[in-house]
Amino acid sequence: MLIKAPSDIRPSEITPESVYRQRRQLIKAMVGGGLLMAAGPALALERYELAEGQRRYPGPDWLQQKLRAARAGEPLEGEPLAPYRLITGHNNFYEFGLDKQDPKARAQGFVTDPWRVEIGGEVANAGSYHLEDLLKPHALEERIYRLRCVEGWSMVIPWIGFPLADLIKRVEPTGNARFVEFTTLHDPEQMPGQRGFFSTLQWPYVEGLRMDEAMHPLTLLAVGVYGDALPPQNGAPLRLVVPWKYGFKSIKSIVSIRFTEQMPKATWNQTAPHEYGFYANVNPAVDHPRWSQATERRLPSSLFSPNIIDTLPFNGYAEQVAHLYSGMDLRKWY
Ligand SMILES: Nc1nc2c(c(=O)[nH]1)N[C@H]1C(S)=C(S)[C@@H](COP(=O)(O)O)O[C@H]1N2
Ligand SMILES: [Mo]
């Protein structure tokens, strides 16, 4: 983002129509015919067949059981999913390098189980929790969301997770909690991007949301993608997904969730405040100082079929979230 111009997808990365798409048509036809209703809610896992040679990330057994029970999400009408190999092979995760291919190449040995998450700050139920315990009361569901990177590309991704709001209600923030601060693991041994010479940002990576944003039903804590566990390069074992904000708000591999009175010092905002705001709502009317935000490259895209589309206010979720910002000047609070 700060360091590099948006990199292009090599033509070799363009995958033909995935099996998923055909299955989706089938599922839609079934829904249309009322067939699925009789069969009960569809499960996310049943929708996916990966192309040959593609490896899944099953995750630990306890997670696998929960993933198998996840309800399938609503497809975005007219917006097909990005292929699995793009979602898991074109990543921003600077802890594992700056190139889009680095996280997949370098994160395979990343240990994500067992995993602990610290809940702290202005909250009644502070403590250090095993991820399994933290997740236990929450049923998982699939959410098919657009992800719009501030660099100007986007994808449609089928996440599996649960509303952050449900976790927040359980841990009981105090009346002083106005923001939620999230922190990624700091482990230079495992994360080459955090080591000495190649280090780029202030580590660990930190992000934050205002309490009402964190409580919004669209805000997701994700543990899976494409019917299975999150691969390390996508932020395993626990990452945030805030679909109406630029991708950098969706922090990966979370080890701490703190409730604060003060606005958290978010990494990109601190690094280049004139380029990356705290709010970072997707906004085609406010350009990045070095490039336009009016359009985006919807992946998969190629030289011959660039697939440039208009960027929508709040990434197409304005109807659900615009009210959170009524009265705010979105040019000032970018
Ligand atoms: N810890 C951490 N979280 C991160 C990043 C990162 O570099 N480190 N990159 C962000 C950016 S810029 C984007 S676009 C999304 C990309 O998520 P994906 O690789 O799963 O598509 O992750 C976000 N979360
Ligand atoms: Mo991004």
Side-chain angles (χ1 to χ4, degrees):
M1 308 201 311
L2 185 68
I3 295 103
K4 298 191 63 193
S7 73
D8 270 327
I9 310 293
R10 283 177 284 122
S12 65
E13 283 177 32
I14 298 144
T15 312
E17 193 88 346
S18 69
V19 180
Y20 172 82
R21 247 132 113 183
Q22 296 153 27
R23 297 260 303 170
R24 197 177 76 128
Q25 297 310 323
L26 180 69
I27 287 166
K28 271 163 71 180
M30 289 167 77
V31 171
L35 288 174
L36 272 188
M37 304 303 175
L43 299 178
L45 190 69
E46 289 169 3
R47 293 177 147 181
Y48 303 98
E49 289 165 19
L50 298 185
E52 216 172 311
Q54 287 191 338
R55 189 167 156 255
R56 282 186 175 283
Y57 288 83
D61 286 348
W62 65 265
L63 180 59
Q64 202 38 236
Q65 285 176 19
K66 292 181 77 79
L67 288 166
R68 285 215 193 88
R71 255 187 304 117
E74 280 294 314
L76 295 176
E77 202 52 53
E79 296 180 271
L81 293 185
Y84 183 81
R85 58 180 305 273
L86 211 47
I87 291 174
T88 61
H90 176 274
N91 302 100
N92 273 333
F93 199 169
Y94 276 19
E95 286 84 339
F96 291 100
L98 304 183
D99 286 342
K100 298 287 181 280
Q101 291 77 20
D102 287 342
K104 182 177 180 180
R106 299 184 181 166
Q108 296 316 308
F110 184 44
V111 180
T112 58
D113 181 64
W115 189 269
R116 296 187 82 90
V117 181
E118 181 89 28
I119 306 284
E122 294 288 344
V123 65
N125 299 318
S128 170
Y129 294 85
H130 276 295
L131 184 60
E132 183 179 358
D133 297 333
L134 203 62
L135 260 57
K136 202 158 275 166
H138 300 283
L140 301 181
E141 57 181 294
E142 185 181 46
R143 295 282 185 94
I144 299 174
Y145 284 160
R146 304 174 197 93
L147 178 107
R148 169 59 158 86
C149 178
V150 75
E151 296 163 338
W153 53 266
S154 64
M155 296 193 223
V156 176
I157 304 182
W159 304 107
I160 299 178
F162 61 100
L164 172 63
D166 292 351
L167 183 126
I168 293 180
K169 285 176 208 151
R170 272 207 310 129
V171 298
E172 298 177 32
T174 72
N176 293 331
R178 293 181 52 231
F179 295 91
V180 190
E181 178 192 86
F182 306 86
T183 309
T184 295
L185 180 70
H186 184 231
D187 186 353
E189 296 247 316
Q190 290 202 79
M191 296 171 145
Q194 292 178 336
R195 292 203 286 261
F197 182 74
F198 298 101
S199 192
T200 43
L201 294 171
Q202 273 310 118
W203 307 110
Y205 195 101
V206 172
E207 260 306 337
L209 295 172
R210 214 170 54 190
M211 191 56 94
D212 58 341
E213 299 177 319
M215 292 298 291
H216 193 281
L218 286 176
T219 304
L220 200 71
L221 277 174
V223 294
V225 70
Y226 247 106
D228 245 313
L230 281 179
Q233 62 269 33
N234 291 90
L238 182 72
R239 63 96 51 91
L240 185 68
V241 181
V242 194
W244 71 93
K245 294 177 179 284
Y246 291 119
F248 68 87
K249 297 296 288 183
S250 292
I251 182 171
K252 296 176 168 180
S253 305
I254 296 167
V255 294
S256 160
I257 301 176
R258 286 185 69 78
F259 296 84
T260 64
E261 215 172 332
Q262 306 297 326
M263 183 180 277
K265 295 190 188 315
T267 297
W268 280 106
N269 179 222
Q270 295 289 308
T271 306
H274 51 292
E275 299 194 353
Y276 309 107
F278 174 81
Y279 286 93
N281 294 315
V282 174
N283 191 344
V286 177
D287 288 338
H288 186 280
R290 292 182 281 133
W291 59 83
S292 163
Q293 295 292 23
T295 61
E296 67 202 52
R297 215 158 39 91
R298 173 62 56 85
L299 305 187
S301 115
S302 71
L303 217 55
F304 304 107
S305 165
N307 206 17
I308 307 288
I309 60 174
D310 285 343
T311 288
L312 300 174
F314 300 103
N315 204 22
Y317 301 96
E319 208 173 295
Q320 292 100 312
V321 302
H323 69 272
L324 299 175
Y325 311 100
S326 60
M328 273 173 74
D329 178 355
L330 296 177
R331 297 196 157 273
K332 184 172 171 223
W333 301 105
Y334 55 89

